[in-house]
Amino acid sequence: MAQTTFAAETGSIWQGALRPVTIGSILAVTIVAFQGLALATVAPILSDDLGGRDLYGWIFSAFLLPQIVGTVMGGLEVDRRSPAIVFGGFLVVFGLCCVLAGAAPSIEWFFAGRALQGFGAGGLFAAVYAVITLAYHDTMRPAMMAATSSAWIVPSLIGPAIAGFIAEQYSWRWVFIALIPVLL
């Protein structure tokens, strides 16, 4: 894939045609960050509910290990296809697996949902980084990388509290399922 940028050498990551790309990239990272950080809050509840207390560590590992594979595969795919297509495909995988994890009848189903969520998240990150490389001029990339990195701040500050509230008022399952409207 030819690497061309459509941004001017100077300017802001928030200007013109870059604004929706910037917002979409930051929102994608924020959603994945929220979901990952919220899990730490509801993990004890869901492991008791699904009978997986002895497999507690896998609640987190089931996401992280496939995320590495998804990142590699996503990187390979953005070399062959448009990052937008790759992003969309991995977003669908991530979203469907939010539902799978949230509706899991057993800990094994939950692990399957988490694993595929991790795979989807890895591919999303690869597509976001490819978009940053293709859409932003060299002088703008540091600002965009800082913006996507800062997308972890709000979820880390309010994500656990929101997840705890949702789990107490409704169910831990809604921590996963409630992300679907945001993904859409």
CSV table of all heavy atoms in Angstrom, one decimal, residues 88-128:
chain,number,residue,atom,x,y,z
A,88,GLY,N,-13.0,-1.7,10.3
A,88,GLY,CA,-14.4,-2.1,10.3
A,88,GLY,C,-14.5,-3.6,10.7
A,88,GLY,O,-15.4,-3.9,11.5
A,89,GLY,N,-13.7,-4.4,10.1
A,89,GLY,CA,-13.8,-5.8,10.4
A,89,GLY,C,-13.5,-6.2,11.8
A,89,GLY,O,-14.2,-6.9,12.5
A,90,PHE,N,-12.4,-5.6,12.3
A,90,PHE,CA,-12.0,-5.9,13.7
A,90,PHE,C,-13.0,-5.2,14.7
A,90,PHE,O,-13.2,-5.7,15.8
A,90,PHE,CB,-10.6,-5.4,14.0
A,90,PHE,CG,-9.6,-6.4,13.5
A,90,PHE,CD1,-8.9,-6.2,12.3
A,90,PHE,CD2,-9.3,-7.6,14.2
A,90,PHE,CE1,-7.9,-7.1,11.8
A,90,PHE,CE2,-8.4,-8.5,13.7
A,90,PHE,CZ,-7.7,-8.3,12.5
A,91,LEU,N,-13.6,-4.1,14.3
A,91,LEU,CA,-14.6,-3.5,15.1
A,91,LEU,C,-15.8,-4.4,15.3
A,91,LEU,O,-16.4,-4.6,16.4
A,91,LEU,CB,-15.0,-2.1,14.6
A,91,LEU,CG,-16.0,-1.3,15.4
A,91,LEU,CD1,-15.3,-0.8,16.7
A,91,LEU,CD2,-16.5,-0.1,14.6
A,92,VAL,N,-16.2,-5.0,14.2
A,92,VAL,CA,-17.4,-6.0,14.2
A,92,VAL,C,-17.0,-7.2,15.1
A,92,VAL,O,-17.8,-7.6,16.0
A,92,VAL,CB,-17.7,-6.4,12.8
A,92,VAL,CG1,-18.7,-7.6,12.8
A,92,VAL,CG2,-18.4,-5.3,12.0
A,93,VAL,N,-15.8,-7.7,15.0
A,93,VAL,CA,-15.4,-8.8,15.9
A,93,VAL,C,-15.4,-8.4,17.3
A,93,VAL,O,-16.0,-9.1,18.2
A,93,VAL,CB,-14.0,-9.3,15.5
A,93,VAL,CG1,-13.4,-10.3,16.5
A,93,VAL,CG2,-14.0,-10.0,14.1
A,94,PHE,N,-14.9,-7.2,17.6
A,94,PHE,CA,-14.9,-6.7,19.0
A,94,PHE,C,-16.3,-6.6,19.5
A,94,PHE,O,-16.6,-7.0,20.6
A,94,PHE,CB,-14.1,-5.4,19.1
A,94,PHE,CG,-14.0,-4.8,20.5
A,94,PHE,CD1,-13.0,-5.3,21.3
A,94,PHE,CD2,-14.9,-3.9,20.9
A,94,PHE,CE1,-12.9,-4.8,22.6
A,94,PHE,CE2,-14.8,-3.3,22.2
A,94,PHE,CZ,-13.8,-3.8,23.1
A,95,GLY,N,-17.2,-6.0,18.7
A,95,GLY,CA,-18.5,-5.7,19.2
A,95,GLY,C,-19.3,-7.0,19.4
A,95,GLY,O,-20.0,-7.1,20.4
A,96,LEU,N,-19.2,-7.9,18.4
A,96,LEU,CA,-20.0,-9.2,18.6
A,96,LEU,C,-19.5,-10.0,19.8
A,96,LEU,O,-20.3,-10.6,20.5
A,96,LEU,CB,-19.8,-10.1,17.4
A,96,LEU,CG,-20.5,-9.6,16.1
A,96,LEU,CD1,-20.2,-10.5,14.9
A,96,LEU,CD2,-22.0,-9.5,16.3
A,97,CYS,N,-18.2,-9.8,20.1
A,97,CYS,CA,-17.7,-10.6,21.2
A,97,CYS,C,-17.9,-9.9,22.6
A,97,CYS,O,-17.9,-10.5,23.6
A,97,CYS,CB,-16.2,-10.9,21.0
A,97,CYS,SG,-16.1,-12.0,19.6
A,98,CYS,N,-18.3,-8.6,22.5
A,98,CYS,CA,-18.8,-7.9,23.7
A,98,CYS,C,-20.1,-8.6,24.1
A,98,CYS,O,-20.3,-8.9,25.3
A,98,CYS,CB,-19.0,-6.4,23.5
A,98,CYS,SG,-17.5,-5.4,23.5
A,99,VAL,N,-20.9,-8.8,23.1
A,99,VAL,CA,-22.2,-9.5,23.4
A,99,VAL,C,-22.0,-10.9,23.9
A,99,VAL,O,-22.6,-11.4,24.8
A,99,VAL,CB,-23.1,-9.5,22.1
A,99,VAL,CG1,-24.4,-10.3,22.3
A,99,VAL,CG2,-23.4,-8.0,21.7
A,100,LEU,N,-21.0,-11.6,23.2
A,100,LEU,CA,-20.8,-13.0,23.6
A,100,LEU,C,-20.3,-13.1,25.1
A,100,LEU,O,-20.7,-13.9,25.8
A,100,LEU,CB,-19.7,-13.6,22.7
A,100,LEU,CG,-19.2,-15.0,23.0
A,100,LEU,CD1,-20.4,-16.0,22.9
A,100,LEU,CD2,-18.1,-15.5,22.0
A,101,ALA,N,-19.4,-12.2,25.4
A,101,ALA,CA,-18.9,-12.2,26.8
A,101,ALA,C,-20.0,-11.8,27.8
A,101,ALA,O,-20.1,-12.4,28.9
A,101,ALA,CB,-17.7,-11.2,27.0
A,102,GLY,N,-20.8,-10.8,27.4
A,102,GLY,CA,-21.9,-10.4,28.3
A,102,GLY,C,-23.0,-11.4,28.5
A,102,GLY,O,-23.6,-11.4,29.5
A,103,ALA,N,-23.2,-12.2,27.5
A,103,ALA,CA,-24.3,-13.2,27.5
A,103,ALA,C,-23.8,-14.6,27.9
A,103,ALA,O,-24.5,-15.5,27.9
A,103,ALA,CB,-25.0,-13.2,26.2
A,104,ALA,N,-22.5,-14.7,28.2
A,104,ALA,CA,-21.9,-16.0,28.5
A,104,ALA,C,-22.6,-16.8,29.5
A,104,ALA,O,-22.8,-16.3,30.7
A,104,ALA,CB,-20.4,-15.8,28.9
A,105,PRO,N,-23.0,-18.0,29.2
A,105,PRO,CA,-23.7,-18.9,30.2
A,105,PRO,C,-22.7,-19.6,31.1
A,105,PRO,O,-23.1,-20.1,32.2
A,105,PRO,CB,-24.4,-19.9,29.4
A,105,PRO,CG,-23.7,-20.0,28.1
A,105,PRO,CD,-23.1,-18.6,27.9
A,106,SER,N,-21.4,-19.6,30.7
A,106,SER,CA,-20.4,-20.3,31.5
A,106,SER,C,-19.1,-19.6,31.4
A,106,SER,O,-18.9,-18.7,30.5
A,106,SER,CB,-20.2,-21.7,31.0
A,106,SER,OG,-19.6,-21.7,29.7
A,107,ILE,N,-18.1,-19.9,32.3
A,107,ILE,CA,-16.8,-19.3,32.2
A,107,ILE,C,-16.1,-19.6,30.9
A,107,ILE,O,-15.4,-18.7,30.4
A,107,ILE,CB,-16.0,-19.6,33.5
A,107,ILE,CG1,-14.8,-18.6,33.7
A,107,ILE,CG2,-15.5,-21.0,33.4
A,107,ILE,CD1,-15.2,-17.3,34.1
A,108,GLU,N,-16.3,-20.7,30.4
A,108,GLU,CA,-15.7,-21.1,29.1
A,108,GLU,C,-16.2,-20.2,28.0
A,108,GLU,O,-15.4,-19.8,27.1
A,108,GLU,CB,-15.9,-22.6,28.8
A,108,GLU,CG,-15.2,-23.5,29.7
A,108,GLU,CD,-16.0,-23.8,31.0
A,108,GLU,OE1,-17.2,-23.4,31.1
A,108,GLU,OE2,-15.4,-24.3,32.0
A,109,TRP,N,-17.5,-20.0,27.9
A,109,TRP,CA,-18.0,-19.0,26.9
A,109,TRP,C,-17.5,-17.6,27.1
A,109,TRP,O,-17.2,-16.9,26.2
A,109,TRP,CB,-19.5,-19.1,27.0
A,109,TRP,CG,-20.1,-20.2,26.2
A,109,TRP,CD1,-20.6,-21.4,26.7
A,109,TRP,CD2,-20.3,-20.3,24.8
A,109,TRP,NE1,-21.0,-22.2,25.7
A,109,TRP,CE2,-20.9,-21.6,24.5
A,109,TRP,CE3,-20.0,-19.4,23.7
A,109,TRP,CZ2,-21.2,-22.0,23.2
A,109,TRP,CZ3,-20.3,-19.8,22.5
A,109,TRP,CH2,-20.9,-21.1,22.2
A,110,PHE,N,-17.4,-17.3,28.4
A,110,PHE,CA,-16.8,-15.9,28.7
A,110,PHE,C,-15.4,-15.8,28.2
A,110,PHE,O,-15.0,-14.8,27.5
A,110,PHE,CB,-16.9,-15.6,30.2
A,110,PHE,CG,-16.4,-14.3,30.5
A,110,PHE,CD1,-17.1,-13.2,30.3
A,110,PHE,CD2,-15.1,-14.1,31.1
A,110,PHE,CE1,-16.7,-11.9,30.6
A,110,PHE,CE2,-14.6,-12.9,31.4
A,110,PHE,CZ,-15.4,-11.8,31.1
A,111,PHE,N,-14.6,-16.8,28.4
A,111,PHE,CA,-13.2,-16.8,27.9
A,111,PHE,C,-13.2,-16.7,26.4
A,111,PHE,O,-12.3,-16.0,25.9
A,111,PHE,CB,-12.4,-18.0,28.4
A,111,PHE,CG,-12.1,-18.0,29.9
A,111,PHE,CD1,-11.9,-19.2,30.6
A,111,PHE,CD2,-12.0,-16.9,30.6
A,111,PHE,CE1,-11.6,-19.2,31.9
A,111,PHE,CE2,-11.7,-16.9,32.0
A,111,PHE,CZ,-11.5,-18.0,32.6
A,112,ALA,N,-14.0,-17.4,25.8
A,112,ALA,CA,-14.1,-17.4,24.3
A,112,ALA,C,-14.4,-16.0,23.8
A,112,ALA,O,-13.8,-15.4,22.9
A,112,ALA,CB,-15.1,-18.4,23.7
A,113,GLY,N,-15.4,-15.3,24.5
A,113,GLY,CA,-15.8,-14.0,24.1
A,113,GLY,C,-14.6,-13.0,24.4
A,113,GLY,O,-14.3,-12.1,23.6
A,114,ARG,N,-14.0,-13.2,25.5
A,114,ARG,CA,-12.8,-12.3,25.9
A,114,ARG,C,-11.7,-12.5,24.9
A,114,ARG,O,-11.0,-11.5,24.5
A,114,ARG,CB,-12.4,-12.6,27.3
A,114,ARG,CG,-13.3,-12.1,28.4
A,114,ARG,CD,-13.3,-10.6,28.5
A,114,ARG,NE,-12.0,-10.1,28.9
A,114,ARG,CZ,-11.6,-8.8,28.7
A,114,ARG,NH1,-12.4,-8.0,28.1
A,114,ARG,NH2,-10.5,-8.5,29.2
A,115,ALA,N,-11.4,-13.7,24.5
A,115,ALA,CA,-10.3,-14.0,23.6
A,115,ALA,C,-10.6,-13.3,22.3
A,115,ALA,O,-9.7,-12.6,21.7
A,115,ALA,CB,-10.1,-15.5,23.4
A,116,LEU,N,-11.8,-13.4,21.8
A,116,LEU,CA,-12.1,-12.8,20.5
A,116,LEU,C,-12.2,-11.3,20.6
A,116,LEU,O,-11.9,-10.6,19.6
A,116,LEU,CB,-13.4,-13.4,19.9
A,116,LEU,CG,-13.2,-14.9,19.5
A,116,LEU,CD1,-14.6,-15.5,19.1
A,116,LEU,CD2,-12.3,-15.0,18.3
A,117,GLN,N,-12.6,-10.8,21.7
A,117,GLN,CA,-12.6,-9.4,22.0
A,117,GLN,C,-11.1,-8.9,21.9
A,117,GLN,O,-10.8,-7.8,21.3
A,117,GLN,CB,-13.1,-9.0,23.4
A,117,GLN,CG,-14.5,-8.7,23.5
A,117,GLN,CD,-14.8,-8.3,24.9
A,117,GLN,OE1,-14.4,-9.0,25.9
A,117,GLN,NE2,-15.5,-7.2,25.1
A,118,GLY,N,-10.2,-9.6,22.5
A,118,GLY,CA,-8.8,-9.2,22.5
A,118,GLY,C,-8.2,-9.2,21.1
A,118,GLY,O,-7.5,-8.3,20.7
A,119,PHE,N,-8.6,-10.2,20.4
A,119,PHE,CA,-8.2,-10.3,19.0
A,119,PHE,C,-8.7,-9.1,18.2
A,119,PHE,O,-7.9,-8.4,17.5
A,119,PHE,CB,-8.7,-11.6,18.3
A,119,PHE,CG,-8.4,-11.8,16.9
A,119,PHE,CD1,-7.1,-12.2,16.5
A,119,PHE,CD2,-9.3,-11.6,15.9
A,119,PHE,CE1,-6.7,-12.4,15.2
A,119,PHE,CE2,-9.0,-11.7,14.6
A,119,PHE,CZ,-7.7,-12.1,14.2
A,120,GLY,N,-10.0,-8.7,18.4
A,120,GLY,CA,-10.5,-7.6,17.7
A,120,GLY,C,-9.9,-6.3,18.2
A,120,GLY,O,-9.6,-5.4,17.4
A,121,ALA,N,-9.6,-6.2,19.5
A,121,ALA,CA,-8.9,-4.9,20.0
A,121,ALA,C,-7.5,-4.8,19.4
A,121,ALA,O,-7.1,-3.7,19.0
A,121,ALA,CB,-8.9,-5.0,21.5
A,122,GLY,N,-6.8,-5.9,19.3
A,122,GLY,CA,-5.5,-5.8,18.7
A,122,GLY,C,-5.5,-5.4,17.2
A,122,GLY,O,-4.7,-4.5,16.8
A,123,GLY,N,-6.5,-5.9,16.5
A,123,GLY,CA,-6.6,-5.4,15.1
A,123,GLY,C,-7.1,-4.0,15.0
A,123,GLY,O,-6.6,-3.3,14.1
A,124,LEU,N,-7.9,-3.6,15.9
A,124,LEU,CA,-8.3,-2.1,15.9
A,124,LEU,C,-7.1,-1.2,16.1
A,124,LEU,O,-7.0,-0.2,15.4
A,124,LEU,CB,-9.3,-1.9,17.0
A,124,LEU,CG,-10.8,-2.3,16.8
A,124,LEU,CD1,-11.6,-2.1,18.1
A,124,LEU,CD2,-11.4,-1.6,15.7
A,125,PHE,N,-6.3,-1.6,17.1
A,125,PHE,CA,-5.1,-0.8,17.4
A,125,PHE,C,-4.2,-0.7,16.2
A,125,PHE,O,-3.6,0.3,15.8
A,125,PHE,CB,-4.3,-1.3,18.6
A,125,PHE,CG,-5.0,-1.0,19.9
A,125,PHE,CD1,-4.8,-1.8,21.0
A,125,PHE,CD2,-5.9,0.1,20.1
A,125,PHE,CE1,-5.5,-1.6,22.2
A,125,PHE,CE2,-6.5,0.4,21.3
A,125,PHE,CZ,-6.3,-0.5,22.3
A,126,ALA,N,-4.0,-1.9,15.5
A,126,ALA,CA,-3.1,-1.9,14.3
A,126,ALA,C,-3.7,-1.0,13.2
A,126,ALA,O,-2.9,-0.2,12.6
A,126,ALA,CB,-3.0,-3.3,13.8
A,127,ALA,N,-5.0,-1.0,13.0
A,127,ALA,CA,-5.6,-0.1,12.0
A,127,ALA,C,-5.5,1.3,12.4
A,127,ALA,O,-5.2,2.2,11.6
A,127,ALA,CB,-7.1,-0.5,11.8
A,128,VAL,N,-5.7,1.6,13.7
A,128,VAL,CA,-5.5,3.0,14.1
A,128,VAL,C,-4.1,3.5,13.9
A,128,VAL,O,-3.9,4.6,13.4
A,128,VAL,CB,-5.9,3.2,15.6
A,128,VAL,CG1,-5.5,4.5,16.2
A,128,VAL,CG2,-7.4,3.0,15.8
